[in-house]
Amino acid sequence: SVHTRDEVELPPPAIDNRLTVHPLWPEIDRISTEQIQAAFEGVGGEIGWQLFAEEGDMRMYRREMEVDGMVMDPLKAMHKVRGVSAREMCHYFFNPRYRYEWETTLETMTIVEEISSDAMVFHQTFKRIWPASQRDALFWSHVRADGDTYAVTNHSTTNNDYPANTGACIRLFVTVCLACRTSCPAGERPTRDNITTSIAYCSTVNPGGWAPAGVLRAVYKREYPKFLKRFTSYVQEQCHGKPLAM
Ligand code: 16C
């Protein structure tokens, strides 16, 4: 059959065999499963989650958490986006080709390893937040379909070629999950005009070393809503006029 370039690179509906024989597979599978299961769990009545940003269908919650004076507030965001599918959302989040176009905290991104069509390892450096030292991160990224959900999970890892804390950067640690589900009116065929995708984005960033709590929480409060609004409208723009990929 004939495929466009984009179609071939969409997240595969089943796990790529090359991933299941990789040494990272047991960890990737376990953490992805945990993250996806927890992603859509309610924040409503649960203790400790506080709403800190609300705009249209977007709601962002955080739980204040400090370990040895370092802010590690877990974040959970819920959003609803029209006209794009869960699979398309995950395609743009996972594929490095688009990352500089929506990721505003990025300074550099290097592909460390292409494990399979659905898993990669990345090294990224981020813009410096004054007065803290610049940060970098090394993480695997995995996209999968799980029942009615498409999700990307990112989680920190190590690699001898990219040792932590040897240069100007302090290594931070991250666990992120973007989980998406598409719905359309009962009995109708999904089209760009009738689908809505629910998004759950969860993130925990351990800054890896000292950074002033006040500055960190201010950055957090500004950058997460900025990211989610920018990323979702970026995907809507990219998909506009293209055939729907479910
Ligand atoms: O999930 C997101 N992006 C993915 C693809 O890049 C991936 C990245 C995760 C890394 C998240 C850590 C970002 C740290 C940025 C620090 C510099 C920010 C400078 C901004 C000033 C212009 O999963 C989207 C990620 C959206 C990130 C929002 C910002 C979160 C800040 C949390 C505090 C970081 C501690 C830094 C210590 C100095």
Side-chain angles (χ1 to χ4, degrees):
S1 64
V2 181
H3 291 286
T4 67
R5 220 180 117 102
D6 256 15
E7 270 178 294
V8 188
E9 291 179 4
L10 279 165
I15 309 270
D16 188 324
N17 288 331
R18 282 172 296 172
L19 174 55
T20 62
V21 295
H22 190 277
L24 279 172
W25 166 245
E27 179 186 297
I28 291 178
D29 188 38
R30 175 177 57 82
I31 292 175
S32 300
T33 304
E34 283 170 12
Q35 289 292 316
I36 296 166
Q37 276 170 4
F40 283 104
E41 271 168 26
V43 278
E46 285 166 47
I47 312 157
W49 285 104
Q50 59 186 86
L51 183 69
F52 75 94
E54 194 172 8
E55 213 182 301
D57 289 316
M58 184 182 83
R59 285 177 189 35
M60 292 203 161
Y61 305 84
R62 67 170 166 197
R63 230 171 34 210
E64 291 206 354
M65 210 162 108
E66 280 177 38
V67 179
D68 300 326
M70 280 197 298
V71 173
M72 286 179 216
D73 300 355
L75 166 119
K76 183 155 185 149
M78 299 297 202
H79 200 4
K80 279 192 166 65
V81 182
R82 278 165 223 289
V84 299
S85 70
R87 193 177 183 202
E88 289 170 329
M89 288 290 309
C90 289
H91 168 65
Y92 288 98
F93 191 72
F94 174 73
N95 196 313
R97 183 157 26 119
Y98 311 107
R99 195 154 308 156
Y100 284 107
E101 293 174 23
W102 59 263
E103 175 63 280
T104 57
T105 68
L106 212 54
E107 196 146 283
T108 65
M109 175 195 64
T110 309
I111 298 170
V112 171
E113 191 180 351
E114 288 197 60
I115 298 175
S116 48
S117 61
D118 51 3
M120 291 191 163
V121 177
F122 296 102
H123 178 258
Q124 293 187 174
T125 62
F126 302 97
K127 288 177 183 158
R128 184 173 169 231
I129 305 175
W130 186 89
S133 305
Q134 192 184 9
R135 266 33 182 201
D136 70 352
L138 183 78
F139 60 91
W140 54 254
S141 185
H142 169 51
V143 61
R144 69 162 59 168
D146 184 321
D148 60 350
T149 303
Y150 264 100
V152 179
T153 307
N154 295 341
H155 182 76
S156 283
T157 186
T158 55
N159 182 303
N160 290 336
D161 297 333
Y162 294 81
N165 308 327
T166 50
C169 285
I170 295 182
R171 180 69 45 88
L172 61 73
F173 303 94
V174 65
T175 305
V176 161
C177 182
L178 176 84
C180 306
R181 282 178 188 161
T182 301
S183 61
C184 85
E188 288 182 30
R189 190 176 54 86
T191 69
R192 285 241 180 270
D193 299 322
N194 69 7
I195 57 166
T196 299
T197 293
S198 299
I199 298 173
Y201 174 83
C202 304
S203 167
T204 303
V205 178
N206 173 340
W210 180 85
V215 176
L216 226 73
R217 289 204 165 107
V219 172
Y220 198 99
K221 211 169 165 171
R222 186 187 67 221
E223 295 298 325
Y224 278 118
K226 186 172 149 192
F227 147 67
L228 200 57
K229 285 190 280 178
R230 188 184 162 94
F231 175 67
T232 52
S233 53
Y234 172 76
V235 178
Q236 284 177 317
E237 281 162 29
Q238 292 297 307
C239 292
H240 185 82
K242 290 194 182 137
L244 173 65
M246 289 287 287

